[in-house]
Amino acid sequence: MVRHRRSPPHRAGEKHAASVYAFSWGERYLQLERQYQQLVQLSADTNLLMELLRQEPCHVAVLEQVFQIAQQTGQLEVAAEFLERVLWAYEASYHPSFVQAWLRGDARMLAGLPANAPFFRALHAQTMAISRRGCHVAALSTALLTLSLDRVSDPTRMRLLIDGLALRAERAHTLWLLDQSYQEELRQLPGWAFSIALALRQIHSYSSAAPPIGTAAAAAAAAARGESEWEDGGTAALRRALLTFPAMLPAALQSCCGGNPAATALSARWQRVVSPLIAVAELHFGSATLQHMHALYWERVSDIWKHDAL
């Protein structure tokens, strides 16, 4: 790994210039990479991949390929082993200053570089694996570290996962702080908009008088503006989310209380009343991609919403 240059802060809230890091491949590794590409084109025999691994135990592309094969065939223990080997191969090449800069949030990395891309994919896979094991706080921490490397392009789309991980880890204040650091632009994502509303409700339940733990600076700034977003228990944020993404309510009712006659009636009434009033409602309801995002969000977090309602 090499450190290229100092990068200026991307956002107003970032006080320090960040260091841009990148992994680099040597000539011998490039030869093995070309050999790997030829093997993939000629044969799907995993034994050939294992033979290449015997020549270079830290060949990231081969380790990643074997990890994916093991995962798809249900060999989860084998998949976990090869994923750890991918991460270890990268850890062994860290720049001396990378870890501390990464933990401070001052490290940046371009995911578009061929040597960097597998690192992002491995971190994404590790986040999902940790979450499946029920270690939601650790999964959230891994996701935040991954996002910090490339907050602008977010190559692994961690912003679509972090809201659910934060709610599941009971770290509502962490989600709110991240939302503030993006100046609320993430509320353009349907899942994020609803997760923030639930997070504000949870923060309000902690204490209606004092700011939540870890939000001192942001809370002071909000107080200076005469604002305290969680004072109403997230009602305003939920109202805004419903008006911005009206199709989310029928999806929520279907996921959280499907089969309930009252929920079915409310869903039908909502679509009948709201659609004519909101000019963009037809676009929301007609977008297959947006509807897919709705379904994925409620598939991931419907149990959290049901538990909070209780």
Side-chain angles (χ1 to χ4, degrees):
M1 173 182 277
V2 295
R3 183 173 65 179
H4 286 297
R5 64 186 186 278
R6 301 288 288 180
S7 172
H10 287 303
R11 300 180 181 277
E14 296 181 1
K15 299 180 180 179
H16 306 290
S19 297
V20 180
Y21 294 86
F23 294 100
S24 60
W25 290 340
E27 185 59 35
R28 180 174 179 274
Y29 190 93
L30 287 172
Q31 293 176 357
L32 290 173
E33 182 67 17
R34 288 191 289 268
Q35 185 178 350
Y36 162 72
Q37 294 297 337
Q38 293 174 357
L39 282 177
V40 171
Q41 294 176 5
L42 294 175
S43 173
D45 188 357
T46 56
N47 292 324
L48 297 177
L49 296 178
M50 300 305 293
E51 178 61 31
L52 190 58
L53 270 184
R54 278 189 280 273
Q55 299 179 41
E56 176 51 70
C58 292
H59 194 290
V60 171
V62 179
L63 291 171
E64 185 181 22
Q65 183 73 11
V66 177
F67 157 72
Q68 293 175 355
I69 293 173
Q71 190 176 46
Q72 292 171 3
T73 55
Q75 304 176 67
L76 299 183
E77 292 185 2
V78 176
E81 176 188 346
F82 278 93
L83 178 58
E84 290 176 1
R85 289 178 63 177
V86 172
L87 293 171
W88 183 88
Y90 276 109
E91 289 172 9
S93 62
Y94 281 173
H95 188 277
S97 65
F98 174 67
V99 173
Q100 292 302 319
W102 194 11
L103 293 176
R104 290 195 309 268
D106 294 337
R108 299 291 179 268
M109 188 177 292
L110 299 177
L113 298 179
N116 292 346
F119 183 59
F120 281 89
R121 292 195 295 267
L123 288 174
H124 181 272
Q126 181 73 345
T127 300
M128 300 302 294
I130 295 173
S131 180
R132 282 194 296 269
R133 292 198 291 267
C135 304
H136 304 302
V137 176
L140 174 62
S141 299
T142 306
L144 290 172
L145 283 171
T146 305
L147 178 62
S148 71
L149 291 175
D150 194 342
R151 289 170 55 97
V152 177
S153 65
D154 185 18
T156 57
R157 304 298 180 263
M158 280 296 182
R159 286 174 289 193
L160 297 177
L161 297 174
I162 284 176
D163 58 329
L165 292 175
L167 293 176
R168 204 168 289 281
E170 299 182 354
R171 294 294 188 272
H173 57 281
T174 301
L175 183 62
W176 183 78
L177 281 173
L178 183 61
D179 180 70
Q180 294 299 300
S181 72
Y182 275 93
Q183 300 176 357
E184 300 187 5
E185 71 178 56
L186 294 183
R187 301 193 192 191
Q188 299 174 22
L189 299 172
W192 192 280
F194 277 77
S195 291
I196 280 294
L198 183 57
L200 292 172
R201 173 186 169 91
Q202 293 177 353
I203 292 173
H204 178 73
S205 68
Y206 299 155
S207 173
S208 58
I213 298 173
T215 63
R225 298 192 302 267
E227 302 172 0
S228 184
E229 195 177 10
W230 54 82
E231 278 189 351
D232 64 351
T235 301
L238 182 59
R239 184 184 302 113
R240 174 182 170 185
L242 284 170
L243 293 177
T244 307
F245 304 103
M248 283 287 275
L249 181 60
L253 294 173
Q254 177 65 30
S255 298
C256 298
C257 46
N260 186 306
T264 303
L266 175 59
S267 176
R269 189 164 64 251
W270 173 262
Q271 295 191 55
R272 185 171 60 252
V273 172
V274 173
S275 296
L277 298 179
I278 301 180
V280 295
E282 184 177 350
L283 174 62
H284 286 319
F285 282 103
S287 171
T289 301
L290 196 56
Q291 290 179 3
H292 185 59
M293 291 179 66
H294 296 169
L296 286 178
Y297 175 75
W298 292 114
E299 180 181 333
R300 290 191 296 116
V301 303
S302 60
D303 59 320
I304 303 176
W305 280 82
K306 286 188 286 188
H307 180 269
D308 188 82
L310 296 176

